[in-house]
Amino acid sequence: MTGPAIELSGVAKRYGAHAALAGVSLLVGAGQFTALVGGSGSGKTTLLKTINRLVAPDAGTVRVLGQDVSAAAPHILRRRIGYVFQEVGLFPHLTVAENIAVTPRLLGWDRKRIEARVANLLGLVDLSLEIGARAPAALSGGQRQRVGVARALAAEPKLMLMDEPFGALDPLTRDALGTDYRALHDRLGLTTVMVTHDMAEAVLLADRIVVLREGSIVADGTAAELLAGTRDEGVRALLDAPRRQAERLRAKLSGAP
């Protein structure tokens, strides 16, 4: 495929009087890891959900892998796109292996192919084969989130959408899972778009940071580019937050008042 993996052009969405997206245009290159950041209500999740048609825009076009998403049946489109979100949403009445196998079964894969894919994915997300026989309720939060990533990857998508995927986890698990996912992104040649409120996570994991405010993109680039080039004080404060937090932490640990 040539051209961008994702292309939004003039995308607008309103909820009553509120403009969730105000004519957003964005290109995401194949293989890129892009973080969407900004305050609550800035339009991050709405933008993400226009990509897989969980939200239908009022105006503008969205193209994924060269195809206008409005021209595809939503369920067919979503089988080509992995989607991971904070609540995970595993089916409680299915085992871990059965949860991972849901989309391949819908696609008509044969049993041996599904079993091989499930085993491969459990290894990719650093879970043992034995965990495949467990119910989701028997897993820790971090394990459930790893299963969520495996399920999203089950049908071998090249595009992954992630909405605060690690936000409910403790800091150590969040850091480990974020690092592991970034390694998977590189290993599998994925294109990833991730919504996060954590600027440190965005800086550490993403190639590119897109900052939204009131439904519009106000900054777009690498963390270094944005810090060096932005004149927007709100964007600068957002990007500088990890450094300020680190300085306060060092001061606390050193016993400074």
Side-chain angles (χ1 to χ4, degrees):
M1 186 199 121
T2 59
I6 302 167
E7 180 177 2
L8 281 71
S9 180
V11 173
K13 180 66 180 180
R14 297 188 71 87
Y15 296 103
H18 173 62
L21 295 174
V24 170
S25 295
L26 177 69
L27 300 178
V28 178
Q32 193 171 67
F33 194 130
T34 299
L36 305 179
V37 303
S40 296
S42 60
K44 304 182 301 296
T45 293
T46 299
L47 188 157
L48 190 80
K49 288 181 175 180
T50 65
I51 297 170
N52 63 357
R53 286 190 67 185
L54 286 174
V55 168
D58 299 325
T61 59
V62 180
R63 300 181 70 84
V64 170
L65 303 175
Q67 181 181 24
D68 188 329
V69 300
S70 66
H75 68 286
I76 299 297
L77 172 73
R78 290 171 198 151
R79 289 174 189 173
R80 301 172 61 203
I81 302 172
Y83 184 50
V84 183
F85 48 98
Q86 184 172 321
E87 294 84 5
V88 188
L90 299 179
F91 298 111
H93 61 290
L94 301 180
T95 67
V96 164
E98 288 167 341
N99 266 280
I100 295 171
V102 165
T103 300
R105 284 205 175 96
L106 289 172
L107 293 173
W109 291 18
D110 64 58
R111 182 178 59 82
K112 287 187 177 179
R113 185 181 177 191
I114 290 174
E115 289 176 353
R117 184 63 177 161
V118 169
N120 177 254
L121 285 166
L122 286 170
L124 280 176
V125 299
D126 200 25
L127 294 174
S128 68
L129 287 176
E130 179 269 332
I131 282 178
R134 297 185 190 176
L139 307 183
S140 69
Q143 288 173 325
R144 286 195 296 273
Q145 203 65 25
R146 288 178 185 274
V147 175
V149 171
R151 183 178 63 180
L153 290 168
E156 301 174 338
K158 297 305 290 181
L159 174 60
M160 288 283 282
L161 306 180
M162 310 184 84
D163 192 358
E164 291 283 351
F166 316 127
L169 303 175
D170 67 84
L172 287 177
T173 303
R174 179 173 187 155
D175 180 63
L177 190 47
T179 300
D180 287 351
Y181 177 77
R182 175 67 216 215
L184 271 180
H185 167 94
D186 293 335
R187 177 177 173 182
L188 300 177
L190 301 172
T191 301
T192 298
V193 181
M194 179 182 74
V195 167
T196 180
H197 282 93
D198 187 330
M199 277 306 306
E201 183 172 73
V203 170
L204 290 171
L205 298 183
D207 306 313
R208 172 190 184 189
I209 297 173
V210 175
V211 185
L212 288 101
R213 183 189 302 140
E214 297 179 352
S216 297
I217 294 174
V218 294
D220 181 358
T222 67
E225 288 169 347
L226 296 184
L227 273 174
T230 186
R231 296 183 180 180
D232 186 304
E233 291 193 7
V235 173
R236 181 171 291 279
L238 191 66
L239 292 166
D240 205 33
R243 181 189 59 79
R244 295 196 306 271
Q245 291 168 345
E247 288 175 353
R248 290 201 303 272
L249 180 61
R250 280 196 295 270
K252 285 285 187 180
L253 292 175
S254 69

